[in-house]
Amino acid sequence: MTQQEVLRLPVSYVARSPLVLLALCGLVFATRIMISKAALNEGMQPFQLALVANVGAGMVLLPLLAASGQGIPRERSHILLYLVLGIVSFTVPTVLGYYIVDRVGPAYTSTVYSLSPLLTMSFAAGLGIERMYLRRFAGILIGLAGMAALVQQQISEIDFSQTVWVLLGIIVPACAAAGNIIRTAYWPKGSSALAFSCGILLSSSLMVALVAPFFEAPSSWVFFDRDVLFWIGCMVATSASSYLLNFRLQEIGGPVFFSQLGYWGTGFGVVLAALLFNDVLTTLSVAGLAAIIAGGVLANRKRA
């Protein structure tokens, strides 16, 4: 074995290991949340941040796609797929989340999102995309219990008197689950994770650009500030990594396993908050983290 082949072994292992990829995706997910909060604190606005992240990630990934000799699938069915995913996976949950945060509180959005794996598993089983076998079902439930332990303090902050908006909030994880299923069922034949993610990046960027003026005034967006530019750079780098890793994870892990990303992202968020901001890890938080990891390991096991 040559030295070059030895150096490629860790990369090859990561690219083929769903569990390792899930952990990496969760870490990037949590890092993006931290960066988003910092960027918002510096004066950026939510839709501005989303547009910058998507366009910037595209500027990073599209040259890589061209250098690899690949292209974005551009048949009519593929373009329709990108538009549908842009609406289902981004536009509807983002716009709806904007209103839910305002009326019910920010804690509800992160809490209700934890239903995504259960909904994904139900959709996948109902449509015959993945079988709902016992080990995976148990893993998802254990992960859900871990997630509940992590967000138990946030639950007390939810304004349940806003009944209509609480019920509408179920649409957010339903959209996430539907997007997971659609990406798996209609993955462009022969396309890599890089090519497919670039296609979705273009569609989501278009959706953000169309929706943003209804919620924010683009003329008030701040760009040319040293701190803002720093966080934009960080956001672009993590967004490009997130798209590439997430699509690779779904490609090899399937929609149900991929749907645990929210669990792992929340878990890493708790750990990063403890490391960076001296937040205290309670016994319940540690138990929740252990449950999320155990659930991921169990859900990754192949059916005998």
Side-chain angles (χ1 to χ4, degrees), residues 76-93 175-176 178-183 186 196 199-200 203-204 206-207:
R76 184 177 301 176
S77 60
H78 297 144
I79 294 174
L80 178 61
L81 172 63
Y82 302 148
L83 291 176
V84 168
L85 284 171
I87 293 170
V88 172
S89 297
F90 181 81
T91 307
V92 172
C175 283
N180 293 338
I181 297 299
I182 293 171
R183 282 191 297 271
Y186 297 99
F196 195 19
I200 301 300
S203 68
S204 60
L206 175 62
M207 295 297 175

Side-chain angles (χ1 to χ4, degrees), residues 23-35:
L24 284 174
C25 288
L27 178 58
V28 174
F29 181 97
T31 303
R32 285 186 69 195
I33 297 298
M34 299 288 178
I35 292 172

Side-chain angles (χ1 to χ4, degrees), residues 131-150:
R131 296 185 64 181
M132 190 186 292
Y133 54 90
L134 184 58
R135 286 177 179 172
R136 175 154 289 181
F137 180 68
I140 295 296
L141 287 183
I142 291 172
L144 179 61
M147 180 72 174
L150 292 181

Side-chain angles (χ1 to χ4, degrees), residues 115-140:
L115 296 175
S116 173
L118 281 178
L119 292 175
T120 301
M121 186 167 57
S122 299
F123 291 169
L127 296 172
I129 294 175
E130 285 192 23
R131 296 185 64 181
M132 190 186 292
Y133 54 90
L134 184 58
R135 286 177 179 172
R136 175 154 289 181
F137 180 68
I140 295 296

Side-chain angles (χ1 to χ4, degrees), residues 45 48 212-222:
Q45 299 180 51
Q48 174 196 9
F214 292 97
F215 298 91
E216 299 171 4
S219 60
S220 68
W221 288 353
V222 177

Side-chain angles (χ1 to χ4, degrees), residues 23-232:
L24 284 174
C25 288
L27 178 58
V28 174
F29 181 97
T31 303
R32 285 186 69 195
I33 297 298
M34 299 288 178
I35 292 172
S36 296
K37 290 180 178 179
L40 293 172
N41 288 338
E42 290 297 331
M44 294 190 72
Q45 299 180 51
F47 280 87
Q48 174 196 9
L49 188 60
L51 184 59
V52 166
N54 286 350
V55 172
M59 292 175 65
V60 172
L61 294 183
L62 286 173
L64 294 178
L65 182 66
S68 68
Q70 305 177 63
I72 299 174
R74 294 187 299 272
E75 295 181 12
R76 184 177 301 176
S77 60
H78 297 144
I79 294 174
L80 178 61
L81 172 63
Y82 302 148
L83 291 176
V84 168
L85 284 171
I87 293 170
V88 172
S89 297
F90 181 81
T91 307
V92 172
T94 300
V95 172
L96 185 59
Y98 193 95
Y99 285 106
I100 290 173
V101 166
D102 182 52
R103 289 164 173 78
V104 186
Y108 182 59
T109 303
S110 59
T111 302
V112 77
Y113 189 78
S114 65
L115 296 175
S116 173
L118 281 178
L119 292 175
T120 301
M121 186 167 57
S122 299
F123 291 169
L127 296 172
I129 294 175
E130 285 192 23
R131 296 185 64 181
M132 190 186 292
Y133 54 90
L134 184 58
R135 286 177 179 172
R136 175 154 289 181
F137 180 68
I140 295 296
L141 287 183
I142 291 172
L144 179 61
M147 180 72 174
L150 292 181
V151 302
Q152 50 89 24
Q153 290 183 333
Q154 297 179 7
I155 294 175
S156 62
E157 302 172 7
I158 297 173
D159 182 5
F160 285 103
S161 66
Q162 300 289 331
T163 308
V164 173
W165 289 103
V166 169
L167 293 175
L168 286 174
I170 303 299
I171 296 174
V172 173
C175 283
N180 293 338
I181 297 299
I182 293 171
R183 282 191 297 271
T184 296
Y186 297 99
W187 190 289
K189 187 176 181 180
S191 294
S192 67
L194 176 59
F196 195 19
S197 62
C198 285
I200 301 300
L201 259 176
L202 293 176
S203 68
S204 60
S205 297
L206 175 62
M207 295 297 175
V208 177
L210 292 174
V211 170
F214 292 97
F215 298 91
E216 299 171 4
S219 60
S220 68
W221 288 353
V222 177
F223 289 102
F224 301 107
D225 176 90
R226 185 180 63 182
D227 292 332
V228 168
L229 287 173
F230 171 76
W231 291 116
I232 285 177

